[in-house]
């Protein structure tokens, strides 16, 4: 079957270049190929488009009408192609994102305003939950997760940042109970356990000397909501563990104090997860790149 659009382009090139050789050069083709395309087109249409001699050619009446129609059709095709290319690059529409509570609530003010300012045509549909979701089945474009290193997955898993897990408490709590100077001293303090964590029963603390100290979480409060643990620590209930990214603003404002700064409870990775696809949607790429920039800057 003849490629109708290609034949139209060849015919227009012949007319506009005023010759087969010039048309072939314009199309990066050969004289014989251009001539063959025209013959096939005339046979397909059942009309003669050009009166040609060895030295020159001229459009027939049918050829003139067909040329005018081709110019209009090809212009429309080009305009549609350009419009689709522009739409493909434009960051717009609705982006459904699943994020953990820490990112969707505690860290929200640090990243959302600037993101919306950069992409004013994008509507963000944000679902905040620490539960793992099925991106495809639940209709999400991308998910952010804070976890230990992920294994093999059917999803693209891009690491945005690595963050230390740190201990914090409010100034009011430390004024009443004192500042712990060693991990073992935590056993006499009120500890806030986040039961949604993989370390819900104990904290495994590594000292600056490389020693490991295990602290059982037998405090007065255990919660499965990171937001509740955060509020409790701000209100002076006890000492809690969070990723550095989550508590960085509160530490900078003096609302929380870094407890045992020479120790660490390990690290967590911030991931962006999205389905494998040949062409990543501009809105997904924009969001993932922006969050990577945000965390690198922080």
């Amino acid at each position: 079957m003849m490629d109708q659009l290609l034949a139209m382009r060849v015919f227009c090139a012949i007319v506009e270049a005023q010759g087969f050789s010039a048309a072939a050069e314009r199309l990066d083709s050969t004289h014989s190929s251009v001539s063959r395309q025209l013959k096939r087109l005339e046979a397909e249409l059942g009309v003669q488009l050009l009166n040609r001699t060895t030295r020159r050619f001229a459009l027939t009446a049918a050829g003139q009408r067909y040329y005018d129609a081709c110019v209009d059709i090809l212009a429309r095709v080009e305009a549609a192609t350009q419009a689709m290319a522009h739409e493909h690059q434009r960051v717009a529409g609705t982006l459904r994102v699943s994020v953990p509570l820490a990112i969707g609530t505690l860290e929200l003010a640090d990243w959302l305003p600037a993101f919306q300012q950069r992409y004013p045509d994008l509507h963000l549909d944000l679902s905040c939950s620490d539960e793992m979701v099925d991106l495809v089945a639940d209709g999400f474009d991308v998910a952010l997760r804070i976890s230990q290193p992920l294994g093999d997955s059917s999803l693209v898993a891009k690491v945005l940042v690595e963050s230390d897990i740190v201990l914090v408490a409010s100034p009011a709590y430390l004024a009443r109970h004192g500042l712990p100077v060693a991990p073992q001293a935590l056993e006499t303090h009120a500890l806030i356990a986040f039961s949604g964590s993989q370390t819900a029963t104990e904290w495994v603390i590594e000292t600056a000397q490389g020693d490991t100290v295990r602290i059982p979480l037998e405090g007065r409060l255990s919660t499965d909501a990171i937001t509740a643990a955060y509020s409790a620590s701000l209100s002076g209930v006890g000492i809690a563990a969070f990723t550095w990214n989550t508590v960085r603003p509160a530490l900078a404002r003096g609302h929380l104090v870094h407890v045992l700064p020479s120790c660490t409870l390990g690290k967590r990775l911030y991931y962006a997860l999205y389905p494998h696809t040949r062409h990543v949607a501009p809105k997904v790429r924009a969001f993932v790149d922006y969050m990577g920039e945000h965390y690198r800057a922080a």
Side-chain angles (χ1 to χ4, degrees), residues 7-298:
M8 287 181 176
R9 290 190 176 97
V10 170
F11 174 60
C12 287
I14 294 170
V15 175
E16 293 161 4
Q18 292 292 300
F20 290 86
S21 296
E25 185 176 350
R26 175 185 291 191
L27 297 169
D28 194 22
S29 183
T30 63
H31 184 289
S32 60
S33 177
V34 168
S35 178
R36 189 164 54 249
Q37 281 281 358
L38 178 62
K39 289 179 181 178
R40 291 185 62 190
L41 178 60
E42 290 180 323
E44 180 82 12
L45 297 174
V47 297
Q48 186 174 348
L49 300 174
L50 297 176
N51 287 319
R52 44 200 180 272
T53 65
T54 54
R55 292 189 176 184
R56 58 175 298 175
F57 68 84
L59 283 166
T60 64
Q64 183 64 58
R65 291 193 300 273
Y66 190 69
Y67 172 75
D68 292 341
C70 286
V71 170
D72 180 61
I73 291 170
L74 292 174
R76 290 173 182 266
V77 170
E78 179 65 20
T81 301
Q82 291 296 329
M84 290 301 99
H86 176 72
E87 185 67 24
H88 178 71
Q89 296 302 322
R90 181 168 168 257
V91 179
T94 297
L95 181 70
R96 291 203 69 213
V97 183
S98 171
V99 298
L101 284 169
I103 295 177
T105 56
L106 306 181
E107 299 180 22
L108 190 72
D110 291 332
W111 63 266
L112 182 59
F115 177 77
Q116 291 190 317
Q117 185 175 12
R118 183 182 296 187
Y119 301 109
D121 296 328
L122 186 64
H123 171 74
L124 194 63
D125 184 353
L126 199 64
S127 174
C128 302
S129 172
D130 291 324
E131 297 294 326
M132 290 298 293
V133 298
D134 185 324
L135 264 67
V136 177
D138 296 333
F140 288 102
D141 297 299
V142 60
L144 302 184
R145 285 294 173 263
I146 305 172
S147 75
Q148 293 178 333
L150 295 174
D152 292 338
S153 169
S154 59
L155 301 172
V156 176
K158 180 177 180 179
V159 176
L160 302 176
V161 74
E162 184 180 67
S163 185
D164 289 321
I165 303 174
V166 297
L167 296 174
V168 297
S170 72
Y173 173 85
L174 296 176
R176 292 195 307 270
H177 302 281
L179 182 68
V181 294
Q184 293 82 357
L186 292 171
E187 295 181 356
T188 64
H189 280 266
L191 307 181
I192 301 171
F194 173 47
S195 57
S197 167
Q198 296 161 314
T199 57
T201 59
E202 65 176 4
W203 286 339
V204 181
I205 301 174
E206 184 175 332
T207 68
Q209 294 73 35
D211 298 326
T212 298
V213 180
R214 295 181 180 272
I215 304 297
L217 290 176
E218 300 174 349
R220 299 176 59 188
L221 177 64
S222 178
T223 176
D224 64 355
I226 195 71
T227 49
Y230 185 81
S231 295
S233 62
L234 283 175
S235 63
V237 169
I239 299 173
F242 301 96
T243 62
W244 175 261
N245 284 310
T246 296
V247 294
R248 177 180 53 83
L251 291 171
R253 292 190 294 266
H255 296 167
L256 291 173
V257 175
H258 192 175
V259 175
L260 297 174
S262 64
C263 298
T264 177
L265 280 75
K267 298 178 182 293
R268 289 293 182 270
L269 297 174
Y270 280 56
Y271 284 99
L273 306 173
Y274 51 94
H276 282 279
T277 180
R278 187 174 180 182
H279 300 290
V280 179
K283 59 185 180 181
V284 172
R285 177 67 63 197
F287 181 75
V288 172
D289 289 348
Y290 173 85
M291 294 306 292
E293 291 173 15
H294 163 70
Y295 283 119
R296 286 194 296 273

